[in-house]
Amino acid sequence: MLLPGWAFPEPGGVRPAPEREGRLKPMLLPRACPVPDVVWTDEEWQRIRAGLRPREMEDKWVSHTAEGVLRLHRSWTGFEIWSVRVTPVRGGWRPGSALAEAHPDRFRGAADPELLARVLGLAARGYGWRP
């Protein structure tokens, strides 16, 4: 099941940022965090840019990109948990730097680089994306 109001892309385009709908909330207490050492292919980067959208209530992540920054939010609360700056490199794209939500009432696992790597892996594989 898709949450009401989620926007989908124009053919061949990227979904508009859902924060325009007032559902997603920016970080309250951003702190630098380590980024995984990965390089994405152009195909993986296009899947990441397409964004994660919940298909069911159990899906946990929503994401969108704008101006080279990938923003990852919790689907139920809309809280932004990570903001990842992505840069082009030889052979693809890679996370260059990241901020994590450090406010304890928002998300306690944001400082975990392994969790960030798993969520980025979901996005690169297209998990949560529906045409």
Side-chain angles (χ1 to χ4, degrees):
M1 173 183 109
L2 290 172
L3 296 179
W6 289 117
F8 288 90
E10 296 298 319
V14 175
R15 288 187 190 103
E19 78 275 14
R20 292 183 191 145
E21 300 172 30
R23 300 185 191 291
L24 302 183
K25 300 161 188 82
M27 283 186 230
L28 289 178
L29 192 58
R31 296 286 186 260
C33 71
V35 294
D37 185 20
V38 297
V39 175
W40 299 305
T41 64
D42 286 335
E43 182 180 336
E44 289 171 321
W45 176 233
Q46 290 308 310
R47 281 194 294 263
I48 291 168
R49 288 186 61 215
L52 294 169
R53 298 295 180 271
R55 293 184 212 178
E56 302 173 351
M57 287 293 288
E58 292 78 18
D59 290 341
K60 296 180 168 78
W61 298 100
V62 174
S63 71
H64 64 95
T65 58
E67 299 176 14
V69 177
L70 168 64
R71 299 188 186 280
L72 296 150
H73 298 257
R74 293 298 285 182
S75 63
W76 288 17
T77 63
F79 297 155
E80 182 179 7
I81 305 304
W82 290 289
S83 173
V84 181
R85 178 149 307 276
V86 177
T87 58
V89 295
R90 180 184 286 199
W93 302 82
R94 70 172 298 128
S97 62
L99 297 174
E101 175 63 79
H103 195 284
D105 293 340
R106 291 254 173 137
F107 191 75
R108 295 179 193 256
D112 180 358
E114 291 179 18
L115 179 56
L116 175 57
R118 287 194 303 270
V119 174
L120 291 174
L122 291 174
R125 290 190 302 276
Y127 175 83
W129 184 83
R130 292 181 99 172

